[in-house]
Amino acid sequence: MKKILPWVSLGLAIGLTGCASQPNTLYHWGNYPQQVYLGFNQPEKASPAKQISVLEADIEKARAKNQAIPPGLYAHLGLLYSHTDTQKAAQYFELEKQSYPEASVLMNRLLAQLKAN
């Protein structure tokens, strides 16, 4: 029994160390969740221009690491651009539609609204 205890302790230590490491995620989330939170709850801390610059930098980081862009990020950027640059907004809505076909219905509605205005 005394010979087994050190091995069990070592196994637990290795197991707990593995749990503390950074988890692998499917997407590069970057600052996206924080920007959405700030945009809705503390808009004075996250102007649309600041959100655009932060999120576009996150996209570049994700591409550099060859990671996927999370669902909704392109659409969020499109909404931010829809007030200032409708052409860029349409590009981001199309990117969201291409990346996540299940968002096509919503993206098509947003594109139609852009064309109507």
Side-chain angles (χ1 to χ4, degrees):
M1 181 70 166
K2 289 184 179 185
K3 291 182 179 183
I4 295 175
L5 188 58
W7 292 105
V8 171
S9 299
L10 178 65
L12 284 173
I14 291 172
L16 291 175
T17 303
C19 293
S21 67
Q22 191 71 284
N24 288 336
T25 61
L26 184 60
Y27 305 107
H28 174 81
W29 290 95
N31 294 305
Y32 176 50
Q34 180 186 21
Q35 291 302 308
V36 171
Y37 175 82
L38 289 175
F40 286 114
N41 295 309
Q42 298 172 344
E44 68 279 357
K45 291 186 178 180
S47 68
K50 183 178 179 185
Q51 285 187 54
I52 287 170
S53 65
V54 169
L55 295 176
E56 285 184 339
D58 278 346
I59 289 172
E60 292 305 316
K61 288 177 188 174
R63 288 182 179 155
K65 294 178 181 179
N66 203 22
Q67 292 180 316
I69 305 301
L73 194 144
Y74 290 134
H76 188 78
L77 270 170
L79 287 173
L80 292 170
Y81 271 118
S82 67
H83 302 291
T84 58
D85 186 349
T86 56
Q87 188 175 11
K88 269 250 201 223
Q91 288 174 350
Y92 279 115
F93 291 152
E94 287 293 337
L95 275 171
E96 183 76 19
K97 198 164 72 167
Q98 290 171 4
S99 301
Y100 302 100
E102 61 274 12
S104 293
V105 173
L106 176 60
M107 294 302 106
N108 288 337
R109 286 183 186 168
L110 292 171
L111 286 165
Q113 273 187 326
L114 278 179
K115 291 176 185 174
N117 292 335

